[in-house]
Amino acid sequence: MFVYHLLCFLATVSVFIAYFSLKLNRFQNTIVITAVALVISLVMALLGQIEHLQLKQIADKLQTQFNFSDFLLNGILGFLLFAGGLGIKLAHMKDQKWEITILALLATLLSTFIIGFGLYGLCLLLSIPLQLVYCLLFGALISPTDPIAVLAIVKKLNAPARISIQIEGESLFNDGFGLVIFVTIFTIAFGTDTPTIASVTEMFLTEAIGGILYGIVLGGLFHWLIKSTDDPYMELLFTMLVPSAGYAVAQMIGVSGPLAMVMAGILIGNVTRELGLTEASKVTLDHFWELVDQFLNGILFLMIGLMMLTLVFHWQDWIMMAIAVPLVLLGRYLSVKCCYLGMTRFRAYNPMSIKILTWGGLRGGLALAMAMSVPAGIIVIPEKQIDVREILLVMTYAVVIFSILVQGSTITPMIDKAKRLEKKLAAGQDPMSNTDQQ
């Protein structure tokens, strides 16, 4: 009952955060929930050092009774990604389909290797013996952007259409693709069998292509079921089955559940929505899944705060946290820049696109869950008993906090500038004139 009661209390805190967010009515609700939950988790981590509060004992008990990474990766992740997929409008993304594909696939892969090799080089300079495969594992888990926070920004600030579509589409697809990369490197790092190029390629293609195909089939099945009823409550119940039973089946057959959820969500959010739902049902569907998003996201970050109490921070951890943030930003910028070098040969883009995609590439709960899934006990620094899991986890936590609290709250001037440049482009003026220099 301990875990159930704790989840009830965390859910209560999450709801009250949403309540005060609505009272303020100044920022997008999801961003406020995520930011406040992160602040609370950070405060809990600091208060955990005070022994008589017993917060650390609660966190230790939670760790022994509750598998956090399993809760996210095999539980609520399916709901979060399916909800994101429902919000994708294919008609809007048709004009940007190649840009989204390149950013979601190539940028994520490039970022993984840039961050991985960069971290390995820095560890050599700092005399921290972190193997290359673990550095690449960090690159894989930190490269995907968080769709919940990203979608909140572009909707609230009304970013220019092309930038908005690119960042929305990329954030939803690169979660699934990034998880496939992570699983591949994870298997190489911790698997019992000796990996070969053929086996790694086969596993990668099975996860990625299999997940996409399964998602289309799953979406088609529930499209037919939803069209067969006029009851709005039954329609919602059918959508609930997709990220629950549908996600479980994806794991059983060995394909990517995250990619399947995005594909099924896209199909139901576009085809089923237009052909099988009344206007009242569309409103109900949107409100219900927005509620699910906000509720689960709040619980997620509060739980992360409790789990961080189980760590003992060493000075090496603080150094790794300090280098993680600029390294991840650099990896994000270079990967997006490389993609735009090719894309600009065929089309003109807003001069602020690269900066917004770099600074707006927020990280969230998925990255932390992947870091928590790394096995404990693989010692890197014997004298301090610091293992791989601790290093990856503290670096990921630092990046998530910085991206949500700093990047998420300071991107507004960039988007405002992009909107001014967009107006100049629409009027046929030179966007680089006067004060609007890139």
Side-chain angles (χ1 to χ4, degrees), residues 396-408:
T396 305
Y397 195 65
V399 172
V400 171
I401 288 179
F402 184 87
S403 70
I404 296 292
L405 298 185
V406 179
Q407 294 173 227

Side-chain angles (χ1 to χ4, degrees), residues 7 98 113 124 141-142 157-158 160 168 173 248 275 357 360 377 401 427:
L7 286 174
W98 293 114
F113 285 99
L124 289 177
L141 68 88
I142 206 65
L157 300 180
N158 193 26
E168 283 184 55
F173 283 102
L275 301 179
L357 263 72
I401 288 179

